[in-house]
Amino acid sequence: MPAKMFGFIGLGVMGYPMAVNLLKKLEDGGKLHVYDVSNHDLAKFKQEALDLVMVCSGAREVSERSDIIFTMVPEGSHVRSVYFGEGNGVLSAAIDGKVFVDCSTIDTKTSIEVHDAIRNKYPTASFYDAPVSGGSLGAAAGTLTFMLGCKEDDVNILVLKDLLDSMGSSIFPCGGFSLGLTAKLCNNYCSGLIAIATSEAMNIGIKSGMDPSLLSKIFTASTAQSTINDKWNPVPGVCPSAPASKDYRGGFKVQLMKKDFGLAVQTAKRVGARLCLGESGLAVYEQASEDEACRDRDSRVVFRYMGGDEDWKEKLVHQS
Ligand code: NAD
């Protein structure tokens, strides 16, 4: 049997290191076909493995030359252009029997439209939503969590798990189509609210004269415990390796949280799930994304956005 040909579209912060890890899965004779609208990223990626990488002219060519194609672009509009783009999109290629895996975090409506369009035109082709969690560090280390929109007994599950294993360490089939995206949006909605709640609670403590490092330890041993508190604490200096302690550099940009949080709120409306905190949480991320002091920084910058005291250490010293 000839070696499987792979494709990767979207070589950005996440896609680039994921595609580097996917190279390890190529068998003898296999190739990775890549495309990005940025020529700079394409030229750089070609240098990763000159014999194994083939740069293509568009999504159509990647689809024609590959058996399994991954896509990792920012938003629903980009996914639409990759799949529906006139003349150069995936759907303008003959894609019978091919497998597409979209790892982008987008709205479920767009994902379902792409899924249906592929299934209607090419019934033997497959399309999966497979968003990830773990950020650029997880992508580089090959330790991403994949939320796969299919059942445990899906016809392609073994092939998919084998490939995703090169890029991630946890792979969760989520029960059916578009439920991978549902899982991702629910996770980010929840962690976005926890970041706001932790910031507010820490702020109350600091303004009352309490050491936030001590407060964080108490949370860890009590009911306010969370990964946000323990590893990504929004207060500078509480977790030395967290973005908050590095002027909120690195991590998960506040604009991306705004996007995912907004998509979760939209999904809640679509499915009729009542939200008590959705609109106010979204307003926080929208406004923080527009705030010069917060934009492009890790989303836990909400502590700064709400006027949290970043100089708490000096003040504590003066008090004592
Ligand atoms: P990015 O902007 O760094 O990369 C996106 C890439 O897609 C860019 O290289 C861009 O040129 C390319 N692109 C855009 N439109 C294209 C098109 N029509 N055809 C081909 N290429 C196109 O974004 P990212 O941080 O890699 O995020 C990608 C997705 O992953 C987003 O949906 C994001 O929410 C999600 N995500 C990001 C992180 C993170 O920490 N950055 C973590 C988890 C999930």
Side-chain angles (χ1 to χ4, degrees):
M1 210 172 75
K4 287 236 180 291
M5 296 292 178
F6 301 150
F8 210 109
I9 299 171
L11 300 171
V13 168
M14 297 296 288
Y16 193 108
M18 288 168 72
V20 167
N21 284 327
L22 186 62
L23 280 170
K24 296 174 200 150
K25 279 285 168 186
L26 282 175
E27 296 162 14
D28 278 351
K31 276 209 178 333
L32 178 59
H33 303 93
V34 295
Y35 176 66
D36 194 293
V37 286
S38 152
N39 287 330
H40 171 264
D41 290 338
L42 283 174
K44 188 169 164 222
F45 193 81
K46 174 76 183 162
Q47 298 303 317
E48 294 285 345
L50 290 172
D51 318 341
L52 301 177
V53 173
M54 181 178 171
V55 170
C56 293
S57 58
R60 176 186 175 144
E61 191 186 356
V62 173
S63 309
E64 282 166 350
R65 293 183 181 276
S66 315
D67 305 302
I68 302 177
I69 299 99
F70 293 86
T71 49
M72 188 49 153
V73 293
E75 301 192 21
S77 59
H78 306 99
V79 169
R80 280 175 187 280
S81 127
V82 166
Y83 285 87
F84 297 136
E86 218 168 290
N88 213 8
V90 168
L91 274 143
S92 55
I95 55 167
D96 297 278
K98 304 199 177 208
V99 175
F100 294 85
V101 184
D102 182 33
C103 301
S104 326
T105 306
I106 60 165
D107 56 295
T108 44
K109 183 170 172 282
T110 297
S111 193
I112 290 168
E113 276 175 36
V114 174
H115 173 266
D116 291 351
I118 289 183
R119 271 297 162 95
N120 290 339
K121 199 167 171 196
Y122 299 99
T124 58
S126 312
F127 175 83
Y128 297 89
D129 51 307
V132 304
S133 166
S136 56
L137 293 180
T143 57
L144 292 172
T145 294
F146 281 91
M147 292 156 255
L148 191 52
C150 69
K151 295 201 166 98
E152 193 70 67
D153 61 354
D154 187 273
V155 61
N156 290 312
I157 195 74
L158 292 179
V159 176
L160 289 173
K161 278 190 170 172
D162 182 48
L163 289 186
L164 297 180
D165 198 42
S166 66
M167 301 181 265
S169 51
S170 306
I171 300 154
F172 290 100
C174 292
F177 183 68
S178 87
L179 295 180
L181 275 170
T182 300
K184 169 75 182 169
L185 297 179
C186 291
N187 180 75
N188 282 17
Y189 179 81
C190 193
S191 90
L193 284 178
I194 292 172
I196 295 173
T198 305
S199 298
E200 288 182 342
M202 287 276 160
N203 205 17
I204 298 171
I206 294 168
K207 288 197 185 300
S208 308
M210 187 150 188
D211 179 341
S213 297
L214 174 59
L215 191 54
S216 170
K217 286 192 189 112
I218 293 169
F219 283 7
T220 302
S222 309
T223 49
Q225 188 277 331
S226 69
T227 299
I228 298 294
N229 173 65
D230 300 354
K231 294 191 177 151
W232 297 84
N233 200 292
V235 180
V238 171
C239 296
S241 59
S245 301
K246 299 170 187 164
D247 194 22
Y248 298 98
R249 301 283 177 193
F252 185 65
K253 276 188 191 163
V254 67
Q255 298 99 296
L256 285 178
M257 181 59 91
K258 176 192 83 171
K259 170 180 75 96
D260 292 359
F261 202 98
L263 291 175
V265 170
Q266 260 178 38
T267 306
K269 284 191 186 132
R270 188 168 60 76
V271 300
R274 181 177 166 228
L275 301 178
C276 299
L277 300 173
E279 292 302 331
S280 41
L282 182 57
V284 169
Y285 286 111
E286 280 174 346
Q287 286 160 25
S289 294
E290 295 305 316
D291 184 331
E292 273 304 307
C294 302
R295 193 172 172 76
D296 289 330
R297 289 179 156 84
D298 177 69
S299 59
R300 272 54 63 152
V301 75
V302 287
F303 179 75
R304 171 178 287 175
Y305 166 77
M306 65 183 60
D309 200 339
E310 297 178 45
D311 298 328
W312 59 270
K313 253 184 199 154
E314 287 165 30
K315 291 184 185 154
L316 271 186
V317 171
H318 290 306
Q319 272 172 29
S320 54

